[in-house]
């Protein structure tokens, strides 16, 4: 088997770095396993161990701080046929601790190489989750007041099926990695090595002292009997195959011509409880009935029945890439909270912008074409204003037609609610209501 090491990108670690030893041993393990580059995914984390994905001619994914295991989990679930290797330092391991524990609990078939050199090498030698309390590191006294984590027992307690602890200088490192990769479940290898670039400038740590320290600890050499069980992906696929199949999402077919051939941006401004978001949703459904592409963005605080509610809807015959509305074609002003939230918007309106405005909601001066509606005298309550405004729009055959709106309501509502909605639309579109 040809080497999978990337000739164009030889390892670039500091001279004497333990990571380089692991790089070569991992390559040897791939060779022993007769794996092709196309059968392997290298998923790396941050720090110096995060460079690993670039050293191999394999698939690669470079992740973020402590999250490498999450991406690797998704990759392995989607492609169980691939061998997925994760490299992570003791820094990323501490940052992504919850992800580590979750992966242990699942026992998914990944091999995690923890390149443990007891500090954040790349960023200046600060303390990590495994730094001994008596070490001298680049973050002052902080490591002296935190108990370091012993990786092996922690992951074993969390459910990892395979746990080993060893030195990167072990002569049989390639065979040990190979054994971990062969294990059908989550394998965690706590590999101790030296970081001459940072850690050993002020701390004594050598291959010999690493060997002595590991020998003094309980041996961790492979499968954890209590945690051996079916691999997560195997269980997942078995369960999923028994689950009732999902109904296909319903499809809205094009039935009507759209009143406009252009991309249209509509902003609905109101307050909580005014069904602003529902109004935006109905507008999207209406657009779909004319074969338009639609996008909806909503803005409201986490509070219930209090505060602003704004919905921004785009209807377009073309695919919608940019989902922002710089200058809207239509603004529906239905409540003062929404106006306060988008106050600066009004200065940008042009004479082409239609503003459907509730008579009891003041707005800043603007150049838009204002259509004032007295919802109160029409006895249209606040929660019905959004739908009534849509009916006015449809009555003017602008943006949507009446047939598009009625069809959208039939999609969104059923029975009594639909009847009420249709009767409101009728009322709001009667002559004399639309200004
Ligand atoms: S800083 Fe430390 S871990 Fe990083 S490459 Fe240098 S020796 Fe290796």
């Amino acid at each position: 088997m040809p080497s999978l090491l990337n000739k164009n990108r030889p390892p670039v670690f500091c001279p004497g770095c333990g990571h380089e030893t692991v790089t070569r041993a991992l390559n040897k393990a791939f060779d022993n396993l007769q794996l092709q580059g196309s059968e392997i995914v290298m998923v790396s984390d941050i720090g110096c161990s995060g460079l690993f994905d670039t050293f191999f001619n394999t698939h690669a994914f470079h992740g973020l701080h402590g999250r490498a295991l999450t991406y690797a989990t998704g990759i392995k679930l989607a492609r169980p046929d691939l061998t997925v290797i994760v490299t992570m330092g003791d820094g990323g391991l501490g940052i992504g601790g919850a992800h580590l524990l979750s992966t242990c609990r699942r026992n998914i078939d990944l091999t995690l190489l923890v390149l443990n050199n007891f500090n954040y090498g790349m960023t200046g030698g600060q303390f990590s989750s495994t730094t001994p309390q008596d070490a001298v590191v680049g973050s002052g006294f902080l490591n002296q007041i935190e108990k370091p984590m012993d990786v092996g027992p922690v992951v074993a307690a969390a459910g990892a099926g395979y746990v080993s602890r060893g030195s990167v200088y072990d002569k049989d490192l390639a065979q040990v990695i190979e054994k971990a990769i062969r294990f059908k479940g989550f394998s965690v290898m706590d590999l101790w090595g030296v970081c001459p670039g940072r850690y050993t400038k002020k701390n004594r740590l050598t291959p010999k002292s690493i060997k002595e320290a590991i020998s003094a600890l309980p041996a961790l050499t492979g499968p954890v009997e209590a945690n051996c069980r079916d691999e997560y992906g195997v269980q997942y696929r078995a369960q999923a195959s028994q689950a009732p199949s999902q109904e296909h999402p319903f499809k809205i077919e094009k039935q009507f011509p759209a009143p406009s051939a252009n991309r249209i941006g509509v902003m609905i401004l109101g307050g909580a409880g005014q069904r602003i978001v529902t109004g935006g949703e109905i507008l999207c459904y209406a657009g779909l009935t004319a074969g338009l592409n639609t996008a909806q963005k909503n803005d409201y605080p986490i509070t219930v029945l209090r505060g602003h509610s704004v919905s921004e809807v785009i209807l377009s015959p073309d695919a919608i890439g940019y989902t922002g509305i710089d200058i809207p074609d239509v603004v529906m002003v239905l409540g003062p909270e929404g106006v306060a939230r988008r106050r600066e918007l009004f200065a940008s309106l042009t004479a082409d912008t239609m503003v459907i405005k509730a008579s009891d909601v003041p707005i800043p001066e603007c150049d838009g074409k204002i259509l004032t509606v007295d919802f109160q005298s029409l006895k249209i309550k606040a929660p019905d204003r959004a739908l009534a405004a849509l009916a006015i729009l449809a009555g003017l055959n602008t943006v949507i037609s009446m047939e598009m709106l009625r069809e959208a309501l039939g999609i969104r509502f059923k029975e009594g609610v639909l009847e009420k909605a249709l009767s409101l639309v009728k009322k709001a579109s009667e002559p004399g209501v639309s200004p």
Side-chain angles (χ1 to χ4, degrees):
M1 284 269 299
S3 164
L4 292 181
L5 286 174
N6 181 358
K7 285 194 180 62
N8 298 320
R9 170 83 168 148
V12 287
F13 301 117
C14 305
C17 176
H19 291 5
E20 188 152 343
T21 317
V22 179
T23 311
R24 305 207 180 283
L26 182 57
N27 184 51
K28 181 81 173 69
F30 290 151
D31 185 30
N32 293 348
L33 289 159
Q34 296 284 294
L35 287 168
Q36 309 284 333
S38 59
E39 298 170 312
I40 300 166
V41 190
M42 291 293 304
V43 182
S44 65
D45 205 77
I46 44 137
C48 301
S49 65
L51 301 171
F52 261 64
D53 58 275
T54 62
F55 300 145
F56 291 89
N57 291 320
T58 63
H59 300 293
F61 193 111
H62 180 62
L64 289 173
H65 306 68
R67 273 68 178 168
L69 284 167
T70 64
Y71 317 124
T73 296
I75 292 166
K76 186 67 187 179
L77 271 180
R79 290 292 304 271
D81 54 311
L82 297 176
T83 296
V84 184
I85 310 291
V86 182
T87 57
M88 191 179 273
D90 40 296
L93 184 93
I95 297 168
H99 303 305
L100 173 71
L101 299 183
S102 297
T103 315
C104 294
R105 288 171 40 238
R106 293 190 190 111
N107 193 39
I108 190 158
D109 188 15
L110 305 172
T111 304
L112 170 63
L113 308 184
V114 182
L115 283 83
N116 189 354
N117 56 20
F118 310 100
N119 77 145
Y120 284 72
M122 186 179 267
T123 57
Q126 296 87 350
F127 84 117
S128 74
S129 56
T130 63
T131 307
Q133 285 179 298
D134 60 356
V136 179
V137 286
S139 42
F141 61 85
L142 293 173
N143 60 301
Q144 297 165 23
I145 53 175
E146 280 193 18
K147 203 167 153 44
M149 181 170 84
D150 187 357
V151 178
V154 170
V155 296
Y162 182 110
V163 182
S164 73
R165 173 167 47 214
S167 162
V168 302
Y169 308 105
D170 287 341
K171 291 208 164 38
D172 62 348
L173 182 58
Q175 289 75 33
V176 177
I177 294 175
E178 179 192 335
K179 189 177 154 202
I181 294 174
R182 283 190 190 279
F183 180 77
K184 292 287 169 228
F186 186 41
S187 321
V188 183
M189 303 184 70
D190 182 16
L191 295 170
W192 293 17
V194 165
C195 167
R198 301 288 184 193
Y199 190 76
T200 54
K201 283 190 184 306
K202 292 195 174 158
N203 300 283
R204 190 180 164 275
L205 191 70
T206 64
K208 187 163 177 268
S209 67
I210 286 175
K211 191 172 182 184
E212 287 167 2
I214 290 176
S215 313
L217 294 169
L220 296 169
T221 57
V224 180
E225 205 180 316
N227 295 340
C228 285
R229 59 208 191 271
D230 281 348
E231 192 264 341
Y232 180 85
V234 170
Q235 294 191 64
Y236 182 94
R237 284 182 285 280
Q239 296 273 350
S241 70
Q242 302 300 319
S245 57
Q246 299 289 318
E247 279 181 25
H248 289 294
F250 73 96
K251 194 171 174 200
I252 300 171
E253 302 286 356
K254 175 178 178 177
Q255 302 171 53
F256 310 112
S260 169
N262 301 323
R263 171 183 166 126
I264 304 283
V266 179
M267 298 188 74
I268 313 176
L269 312 181
Q274 282 197 286
R275 299 178 189 150
I276 301 296
V277 173
T278 306
E281 196 184 329
I282 291 166
L283 186 53
C284 286
Y285 282 142
L288 291 168
T289 67
L292 298 172
N293 296 288
T294 67
Q296 180 181 13
K297 286 204 289 192
N298 303 314
D299 171 17
Y300 51 86
I302 195 110
T303 48
V304 176
L305 291 178
R306 198 171 176 189
H308 66 272
S309 182
V310 172
S311 191
E312 300 183 16
V313 173
I314 297 169
L315 305 184
S316 171
D318 303 316
I320 300 168
Y322 173 55
T323 56
I325 300 176
D326 296 331
I327 301 175
D329 300 279
V330 177
V331 180
M332 297 177 173
V333 177
L334 308 176
E337 302 92 337
V339 174
R341 181 71 177 172
R342 289 287 193 277
R343 179 159 292 279
E344 72 289 352
L345 162 82
F346 290 90
S348 69
L349 301 188
T350 69
D352 293 330
T353 307
M354 176 187 288
V355 181
I356 299 176
K357 184 186 109 47
S359 57
D360 55 354
V361 181
I363 58 172
E365 254 186 51
C366 71
D367 290 338
K369 186 178 151 202
I370 297 173
L371 310 179
T372 304
V373 185
D374 188 347
F375 289 110
Q376 280 184 338
S377 68
L378 291 165
K379 298 197 179 354
I380 292 175
K381 294 183 181 150
D384 292 332
R385 285 186 178 189
L387 180 53
L390 288 178
I392 291 167
L393 202 59
L396 297 168
N397 202 39
T398 301
V399 184
I400 56 172
S401 63
M402 194 53 76
E403 53 193 358
M404 287 164 69
L405 178 59
R406 289 207 185 95
E407 187 68 22
L409 293 173
I411 295 165
R412 181 64 175 77
F413 301 127
K414 297 280 170 276
E415 300 170 355
V417 183
L418 174 60
E419 275 173 37
K420 276 191 192 156
L422 287 171
S423 111
L424 175 67
V425 165
K426 187 162 178 284
K427 179 177 176 181
S429 55
E430 275 169 1
V433 174
S434 293

